[in-house]
Amino acid sequence: MDLELTQADSDFRDEVRAFLRDNLTDDLAQAGRLTTSVFIEPQFSLPWQRILHARGWAAPGWPVEYGGTGWSEMQRYIFASECARAGAPSLSPMGLSMVGPCIIGHGTPEQKAHYLPRILSGEDYWCQGYSEPNAGSDLASLGLKAVADGDDYILNGTKIWTTHAQWASRMFCLVRTRFDGKPQVGITFLLLDMNLPGITVEPIITLAGEHEVNQVFFDDVRVPQAGRLGDENNGWTVAKYLLEFERGGGSSAGLEVNVARIRALAEENGLLARDSGFARDLAATEVALEAIKITEQRVSSALSSGSNPGPAASMLKVQRTEMMQRIDTLGIELGGTYAGVEQIEARQPGTNVDPVGPSNLLTLMPRYLNNRAGSIYGGSNEVQRNIMAKLVLGL
């Protein structure tokens, strides 16, 4: 596969760089550089999304008729790479990369007309209601109960590890509408308003000391059935479709930037010359990252042709998350003593708190801690390997 830039792609890269130079403000770039997760607070991501939306660049992967860019696979990769290199804040994937494509694939014309423009503009900020205290990797065992009552469902139960529920105005949620038969047959996919009476959000503080995830409680919450995506009791099909986008979407651009940053820091302090083992591990990581880029091209090709990524999405999810953790481990080795210093205040955008040690080491440990969840969320990597064994190897 030829990954060299054509003249048209080179011109497009220059266009993106010029746009970033003219529109990415210093405070947004600082917030992007200091982020320690795949998510960043909406006070930084939403202003950047609005800037991109005004240019028509908020959803490069969407079909043109719904607000997408019509870019080629290479153009999408160039855009992601240049944004990552410039330190642009990442956009929340919940709306643009997950429920948006799901609404495009399974929504009614009315749902598409209502939700898609609001996702693009950032007017609706979404969270994902999948996992429960007793339903994590075994998602089919979920028990959030939804009982039909007139034109509504009445919800009782809880969701957990709900990222950015404290900020979200909307949730896409899996509920149980049938309790007999096969567990998967009885799950319904709902789009709901987070401001409905009876919804309570309780924070969960991560190992990195950050409030990113939550537990959400539902106490007789009345949700209109008009928010159902797909048929009742067929939510498992919709959920699997969405998970393929969660697992296969995105690119390795951020990983490339992080591994390049590790190399630059290691060269700066002479670690590569002093430690041949670290130099070998870093080189092997860079080679493995090139292989991931090829897998991404395959998945992007499937998506751009209207196909589902299928088991390749599971392969890519495993490769990316384990590569992310591999890079994080190299960062901890590089940071040495400074990597272990907890400095929550010093790494806040706009802070006046001076860091202990070099400022470019501030995010190494929180990145490492936050990204341990990468091999669990979106379906644990053990589950992804089972999927690949069944659908690819026929085991």
Side-chain angles (χ1 to χ4, degrees):
M1 183 176 294
D2 185 9
L3 296 179
E4 293 298 319
L5 295 185
T6 65
Q7 183 59 51
D9 288 334
S10 181
D11 292 341
F12 175 75
R13 180 193 59 195
D14 294 341
E15 179 185 359
V16 172
R17 287 178 177 175
F19 174 81
L20 290 167
R21 183 179 62 248
D22 295 340
N23 293 275
L24 181 62
T25 62
D26 291 341
D27 59 330
L28 291 178
Q30 183 192 40
R33 287 190 294 269
L34 289 173
T35 187
T36 59
S37 168
V38 294
F39 292 89
I40 188 170
E41 288 83 354
Q43 69 191 84
F44 303 112
S45 65
L46 286 179
W48 181 236
Q49 180 173 332
R50 294 185 187 106
I51 291 171
L52 292 174
H53 178 52
R55 181 66 177 260
W57 288 1
W62 286 21
V64 173
E65 59 266 33
Y66 295 113
T69 59
W71 290 343
S72 67
E73 299 164 36
M74 180 58 76
Q75 286 176 314
R76 290 198 294 270
Y77 184 81
I78 290 170
F79 178 71
S81 298
E82 294 302 324
C83 285
R85 290 190 180 96
S90 57
L91 304 186
S92 174
M94 297 298 190
L96 292 167
S97 302
M98 295 167 66
V99 75
C102 210
I103 292 171
I104 290 172
H106 288 271
T108 64
E110 294 77 16
Q111 288 171 330
K112 293 175 184 178
H114 177 73
Y115 288 111
L116 295 179
R118 297 167 66 92
I119 291 172
L120 282 174
S121 67
E123 183 176 354
D124 285 342
Y125 191 80
W126 291 80
C127 63
Q128 178 186 37
Y130 272 28
S131 295
E132 298 180 7
N134 295 310
S137 295
D138 181 20
L139 189 58
S141 65
L142 67 90
L144 175 59
K145 188 175 182 180
V147 177
D149 183 57
D151 293 332
D152 300 330
Y153 290 111
I154 299 177
L155 273 57
N156 282 282
T158 185
K159 294 293 180 180
I160 201 167
W161 312 124
T162 314
T163 303
H164 281 198
Q166 76 272 31
W167 306 111
S169 60
R170 298 277 179 177
M171 172 188 281
F172 55 95
C173 185
L174 293 181
V175 300
R176 184 158 297 283
T177 45
R178 178 176 165 185
F179 285 82
D180 60 325
K182 189 177 180 181
Q184 288 87 345
V185 182
I187 293 174
T188 297
F189 195 109
L190 284 182
L191 311 175
L192 60 88
D193 188 335
M194 284 293 287
N195 295 311
L196 292 171
I199 295 179
T200 304
V201 178
E202 295 291 342
I204 299 173
I205 305 303
T206 67
L207 283 173
E210 298 172 345
H211 179 195
E212 181 174 294
V213 293
N214 306 268
Q215 185 165 4
V216 183
F217 297 91
F218 299 83
D219 184 12
D220 288 334
V221 178
R222 188 172 286 272
V223 178
Q225 291 194 31
R228 186 180 67 228
L229 199 60
D231 295 332
E232 184 173 286
N233 299 319
N234 195 40
W236 190 251
T237 298
V238 182
K240 288 193 298 181
Y241 181 81
L242 183 146
L243 280 170
E244 288 183 357
F245 285 94
E246 180 180 1
R247 294 164 183 166
S251 79
S252 63
L255 298 178
E256 284 189 287
V257 169
N258 285 336
V259 79
R261 181 169 57 93
I262 296 297
R263 174 169 286 281
L265 290 173
E267 290 175 346
E268 182 181 315
N269 67 18
L271 181 60
L272 294 180
R274 297 195 312 270
D275 191 332
S276 59
F278 182 90
R280 181 187 61 247
D281 291 344
L282 178 58
T285 298
E286 291 168 330
V287 171
L289 187 52
E290 288 297 313
I292 293 177
K293 290 166 60 176
I294 302 301
T295 307
E296 288 178 344
Q297 294 294 318
R298 292 168 53 197
V299 172
S300 295
S301 179
L303 291 173
S304 64
S305 65
S307 302
N308 294 350
S314 294
M315 182 189 307
L316 194 52
K317 195 270 178 179
V318 171
Q319 289 180 325
R320 278 202 194 121
T321 54
E322 293 184 357
M323 173 58 68
M324 177 173 66
Q325 293 171 347
R326 184 173 175 177
I327 295 170
D328 291 338
T329 300
L330 289 172
I332 295 300
E333 293 179 22
L334 170 67
T337 303
Y338 290 120
V341 181
E342 185 177 87
Q343 303 188 68
I344 297 176
E345 294 82 4
R347 66 173 187 263
Q348 300 306 309
T351 185
N352 59 1
V353 177
D354 293 329
V356 176
S359 60
N360 51 20
L361 304 181
L362 272 173
T363 61
L364 294 178
M365 182 59 77
R367 281 179 184 271
Y368 175 88
L369 294 173
N370 281 330
N371 289 337
R372 301 314 297 169
S375 48
I376 300 173
Y377 60 60
S380 73
N381 286 8
E382 289 79 6
V383 170
Q384 304 316 306
R385 287 186 167 91
N386 286 342
I387 292 172
M388 289 184 282
K390 179 180 179 180
L391 298 182
V392 179
L393 301 178
L395 299 177

